[in-house]
Amino acid sequence: MAIGLVGRKAGMTRVFTDAGETVPVTVIEVLPNRVTQVKAQDKDGYRAVQVTYGTRRPQLYSKAVAGHFARANVAPGRALVEFRLTAADKTDLTPGAEIKADLFKEGEIVDVTGTTIGKGFAGTMKRHNFAGGYASHGNSLSHRAPGSIGQRQTPGRVFKGRRMSGHMGVQRRTIENLRVVQVDLERNLLLIRGAVPGAPGGQVIVRPSLKAARHATRKITTPAKSGGAPKQAAKAAPAKAAPAKAAPAKDAPKAEAAKAEKK
């Protein structure tokens, strides 16, 4: 997993291309992320880069967390987020370094993670997209009912995981393969095409796309055409030579003379 950025969802707007087409974008404010710790395999058991962003009063943290920020000589931020690194990922970051919006470029494919908007208590039609009951004549008070949820005596219970009414939203979700439309380094803004989970002001994490990276490194084999290449005509085998006639034996005249004498 490559290093990403932690930011704040500012809202949505649109931009226009040179051809006059409108592109819906989500504006993400990515203040410089400050590196608080670089974890190593031999010491921590895994490789990662820990960052924070924004500012927060030190009184809101415990002494342990405040000491963690002080050890890295970094001002206390809003949160601590780690980006795991693989053995192939190389980094020269040190505690106190900053990661800015220029980490991404225009046209790059990214994955954005956030917490969805809370919807409160919702029914099955809104929460799970149930179809509901019939709206024809004779249906009474069952238009938005979920239907049966279990069986009779066998097995006589409701299975776990049954989709029913309940709390909707406030779940961690990742939207993949979003394209960076514009990078505003002066105002620390990223304009990403499409919708991003979360309400305006919520925390989001922007990472390089995993699927795009896998697609770039995998080997693509071109399938053979259905017709295939025209088969080469088989070379005609050389015709077999006709068997040569046996040469007359030298003793043939003597044999014929002996037959004539017997007659």
Side-chain angles (χ1 to χ4, degrees), residues 5 9 24 33 41 46 59 67 85 150 155 193 199 214 225 229 234 240 251 261:
L5 284 173
K9 179 179 177 181
N33 289 188
Q41 180 69 33
Y46 66 97
Q59 296 84 350
L85 301 175
R193 182 188 179 104
R214 292 172 185 170
K225 296 182 180 179
K240 295 182 179 179
D251 298 336
E261 290 178 0

Side-chain angles (χ1 to χ4, degrees), residues 13-17 20-25 27 181-182 191 193:
T13 182
R14 62 176 178 171
V15 295
F16 292 91
T17 62
E21 299 177 351
T22 177
V23 179
V25 295
V27 181
V181 176
Q182 186 176 345
L191 274 61
R193 182 188 179 104

Side-chain angles (χ1 to χ4, degrees), residues 1 36-51 68 80-89 91:
M1 181 184 296
T36 57
Q37 186 180 3
V38 179
K39 297 190 176 182
Q41 180 69 33
D42 54 352
K43 182 179 180 180
D44 302 290
Y46 66 97
R47 299 181 66 235
V49 175
Q50 186 185 88
V51 300
H68 180 71
L80 289 172
V81 180
E82 285 190 2
F83 296 99
R84 297 288 291 264
L85 301 175
T86 61
D89 294 333
T91 179

Side-chain angles (χ1 to χ4, degrees), residues 30 101 106 182-191:
V30 284
E106 295 183 4
Q182 186 176 345
V183 178
D184 191 342
L185 186 58
E186 296 181 358
R187 296 187 293 177
N188 300 317
L189 298 179
L190 285 179
L191 274 61

Side-chain angles (χ1 to χ4, degrees), residues 36-37 43 63-74 95-96:
T36 57
Q37 186 180 3
K43 182 179 180 180
K63 291 184 178 180
V65 178
H68 180 71
F69 285 111
R71 189 181 306 110
N73 197 17
V74 172

